[in-house]
Amino acid sequence: MTSDRLQTFLEIATEAALAAGAVLESYLGKLEDAVVEKGRPGDLVTAADKASEVVILDIVRRHFPEHSILAEESGKLGDQDNEFLWAIDPLDGTTNFAHQYPFFAVSIGLLIHGVPQVGVIYDPFHDELFRAAQGLGATRNRRPIQVSNTSELSKSLLVTGFAYDRRETSDNNYAEFCYLTHLTQGVRRSGSASLDLAHVACGRIDGYWERGISPWDIAAGVILLREAGGKVTAYDGSPLDLVSGRILATNSYIHESLSQELIQVPSLSTWKQ
């Protein structure tokens, strides 16, 4: 894929993210009763999610009608065997948004032959625009960014999240959260996977892991972090599978040590009461 073509994709993704961000701003604090649960407790969808997605889909389809789409609210659209797949989260951090907690974003990633190669994440509340494309680097508000240089897990700050089915399964990340809190300078839980990845990419956070996530949550963030000098894999260091629901992403320096700790965390049921 040529740099010029990737740049074109990046500009269209940016146009869509900024337009969607404006939609989210127009809804913030005005949802009233327009918030419902999609199935599991805490898995919310709002009128803002849907309106934001409509805007994104309109822009992407207008420019690339033949491309396939995987969007959080609309699901699979178009020929899923097409080499170009847009992974779209119109509002990453819906629960935060519904409570007017200022940590949410629009996330738009483009996979080419299954590999994230273009990504845009827009935080409208703080007006932060994160962009990246394969071989073109990563930026925040058009300025280059890079990961932190923290090289020891004991000196790192991490971030994670908890899946919507955490009440129903023991595979819920609670043990990892507690375990790694004791091995690091802290673990945060923000509620927006795309922004977690963006913050690792720009050096605010040293590492991130999560389970129970979807491709649209992380597609844009994966290319952003890689272009900023970070590393993204499965928990055990093997290649990332976007549909596995699990991700380990770091500044690369602490990647091996964090991976080793993650795969040996004892189950909560074995901890002393």
Side-chain angles (χ1 to χ4, degrees), residues 83-101:
E83 64 179 307
F84 299 102
L85 173 65
W86 293 87
I88 297 167
D89 192 337
L91 174 47
D92 183 26
T94 300
T95 301
N96 289 346
F97 186 88
H99 288 271
Q100 299 183 56
Y101 183 74

Side-chain angles (χ1 to χ4, degrees), residues 53-65:
E53 186 162 297
V54 167
V55 168
I56 297 169
L57 293 180
D58 178 66
I59 293 172
V60 170
R61 284 168 159 169
R62 177 164 19 103
H63 289 280
F64 311 112

